[in-house]
Amino acid sequence: MRKVLVVLGLVALLPVHAQVPADPVVVRARAIIETLTLPSMHGRGYVNAGDSLAAEYIAAQFRAVGLQPYKDSWFEPFHFKVNSFPGAMDVALDGKALKPGIDFLVDPVSGSAKGRYDVVNLTLDDLLTPERKAMTMGVITGRAIAFAQPETDDPDTLALCRQLERELMYYGPVLKRARGKLTWSVANEALPNPLIELVPEVWHDSLAVLDINVEHKLIARYQTRNVWGFAKGKSSKRLLVVTAHYDHLGRMGRDTYFPGANDNASGVSMLINLAAHFAKNKAPYDVLFIAFAGEEAGLQGSEWCAVDRPMDLGSIRMLINLDLLGTGDDGIMVVNATKEEALYNELVEMNEETGRLVAVKKRGPACNSDHCPFVKRGVPGVFIYTLGGITAYHDVLDRAETLPLTDYKDVYLTLVDLIGTLK
């Protein structure tokens, strides 16, 4: 008994660690990212109106955190042409069924094909001279083509191979080996046949039989919407614009979708968190928050907005575009920092004082996200994204449950300070 009492006494003397409450900013971010990446959102793309479902959700979030409609609406509607894959997505090689998104991708410009095809195995040499090319095209008619391409980083050779791929797609389904991991995108056109990109594990140089059933749908006028909300600032002389795209790649067939957690549910969550702050704490100027559609299809939503001009572009003090904000192990990157040097220097000085971020790095101008259509028209703007961490990108592995949000809160606090002190 004495021993038991001694042990109990020692236990009583141990320090009690109270559970640290979860940060509300990160909790909100997690909830938003998890919702936007649900299978019921269909990858926020062009099958089952996934992007429209996401737009309604974001508008409801803007309303809930206290934003006001802009131009008497939460939406800016527009349309564009897009290729989609709403139906069958079945591929088998030499009798072995392949898993979409894991073993293969269809190229975004793919058309439809159904049936069994004998495979012709080609190399670049079979297509280099006019005589060889003419003979080859006669042989491949009615068959599938396995196009073995040289392993090179030479841009001219890669461009030639891409051109030949497109030519071959007029004759039949085309197979190619992936360079690195499978990475998908969106296209605004469709060619007559599919191009199937295979992981190296299922590719070999003597493929014999392709069984395929791939369905595409080219939509000439896909209707979609930018989502926006307005927060009154201390002054209406200038306008601050904070943006993030909410669309992703959607579905590749009925059963495979691309969640897009880091790209860019993370940026949308930051947009909503910042909206919640500045709806209650006035920024130096009025703030317009915009969630763009169609970014993955070629900056469609931001380009439409920049041309439509619902606001005076000359009144914009700064546009801050947010994308890929789910990591942060290696700090943040500021695109267009060499042009917006004063803002970049302010960020660096701010971070030196707070020590929040591992690094604040800079790049020059790049037309790689939704800041670009505005910057091209003379609007001051930057694009900020996080560095390091997971490598999932434009694939089926960019999921909410594996997104670390490593330095999310510190990026949030940095952006609150930056926007809150812009003069």
Side-chain angles (χ1 to χ4, degrees), residues 106-123:
V106 292
D107 191 277
V109 302
S110 291
S112 300
K114 182 178 182 180
R116 169 166 287 190
Y117 295 81
D118 293 331
V119 179
V120 179
N121 291 272
L122 302 181
T123 67

Side-chain angles (χ1 to χ4, degrees), residues 230-262:
F230 181 78
K232 189 72 176 171
K234 296 175 183 176
S235 170
S236 297
K237 291 181 179 179
R238 305 297 298 274
L239 180 67
L240 304 176
V241 182
V242 186
T243 70
H245 77 89
Y246 72 86
D247 64 299
H248 196 50
L249 308 178
R251 287 194 174 273
M252 194 184 80
R254 298 188 188 97
D255 301 322
T256 302
Y257 82 104
F258 293 75
N262 198 23

Side-chain angles (χ1 to χ4, degrees), residues 164-180:
L164 291 170
E165 287 172 6
R166 292 176 64 92
E167 290 184 40
L168 293 171
M169 290 170 73
Y170 283 87
Y171 289 82
V174 180
L175 307 169
K176 64 178 284 189
R177 182 175 59 183
R179 290 171 52 86

Side-chain angles (χ1 to χ4, degrees), residues 152-384:
T152 178
D153 293 322
D154 177 65
D156 293 334
T157 303
L158 294 175
L160 174 61
C161 288
R162 183 57 180 164
Q163 175 188 329
L164 291 170
E165 287 172 6
R166 292 176 64 92
E167 290 184 40
L168 293 171
M169 290 170 73
Y170 283 87
Y171 289 82
V174 180
L175 307 169
K176 64 178 284 189
R177 182 175 59 183
R179 290 171 52 86
K181 79 175 191 68
L182 295 179
T183 302
W184 208 37
S185 59
V186 181
N188 310 113
E189 61 172 333
L191 299 185
N193 283 284
L195 168 61
I196 308 298
E197 187 175 6
L198 304 168
V199 295
E201 291 78 8
V202 302
W203 169 272
H204 58 83
D205 294 332
S206 56
L207 297 169
V209 179
L210 169 68
D211 291 291
I212 187 169
N213 185 10
V214 167
E215 295 178 329
H216 90 107
K217 182 180 181 181
L218 183 64
I219 307 171
R221 290 173 62 90
Y222 186 85
Q223 302 293 327
T224 189
R225 298 171 287 179
N226 296 327
V227 189
W228 52 25
F230 181 78
K232 189 72 176 171
K234 296 175 183 176
S235 170
S236 297
K237 291 181 179 179
R238 305 297 298 274
L239 180 67
L240 304 176
V241 182
V242 186
T243 70
H245 77 89
Y246 72 86
D247 64 299
H248 196 50
L249 308 178
R251 287 194 174 273
M252 194 184 80
R254 298 188 188 97
D255 301 322
T256 302
Y257 82 104
F258 293 75
N262 198 23
D263 185 16
N264 185 33
S266 66
V268 173
S269 73
M270 187 67 76
L271 191 73
I272 295 169
N273 265 318
L274 291 171
H277 176 85
F278 287 107
K280 297 178 177 63
N281 305 276
K282 287 187 176 183
Y285 302 108
D286 294 345
V287 188
L288 178 61
F289 296 89
I290 311 177
F292 285 122
E295 191 265 2
E296 302 289 10
L299 312 184
Q300 298 288 339
S302 52
E303 182 68 29
W304 183 281
C305 185
V307 172
D308 189 35
R309 301 196 181 200
M311 75 291 286
D312 175 11
L313 298 187
S315 72
I316 298 176
R317 166 64 184 87
M318 183 62 63
L319 182 145
I320 300 173
N321 181 45
L322 307 171
D323 202 345
L324 302 166
L325 293 180
T327 61
D329 305 65
D330 298 329
I332 64 171
M333 180 67 75
V334 184
V335 177
N336 209 36
T338 55
K339 188 174 180 181
E340 299 300 334
E341 198 168 359
L343 181 137
Y344 173 74
N345 289 337
E346 186 175 347
L347 268 173
V348 171
E349 291 173 11
M350 188 183 298
N351 195 55
E352 287 174 350
E353 292 178 6
T354 63
R356 290 177 184 141
L357 308 174
V358 173
V360 179
K361 301 181 181 181
K362 66 178 176 180
R363 284 180 61 179
C367 199
N368 55 353
S369 193
D370 284 319
H371 62 290
C372 178
F374 295 90
V375 170
K376 285 194 304 185
R377 291 167 173 84
V379 174
V382 294
F383 163 32
I384 296 174

Side-chain angles (χ1 to χ4, degrees), residues 109-154:
V109 302
S110 291
S112 300
K114 182 178 182 180
R116 169 166 287 190
Y117 295 81
D118 293 331
V119 179
V120 179
N121 291 272
L122 302 181
T123 67
L124 184 57
D125 287 341
D126 295 313
L127 301 164
L128 277 182
T129 68
E131 295 79 15
R132 286 184 181 179
K133 189 174 181 180
M135 183 178 295
T136 298
M137 295 310 188
V139 170
I140 66 176
T141 301
R143 301 182 182 183
I145 306 107
F147 183 22
Q149 302 178 19
E151 293 193 21
T152 178
D153 293 322
D154 177 65

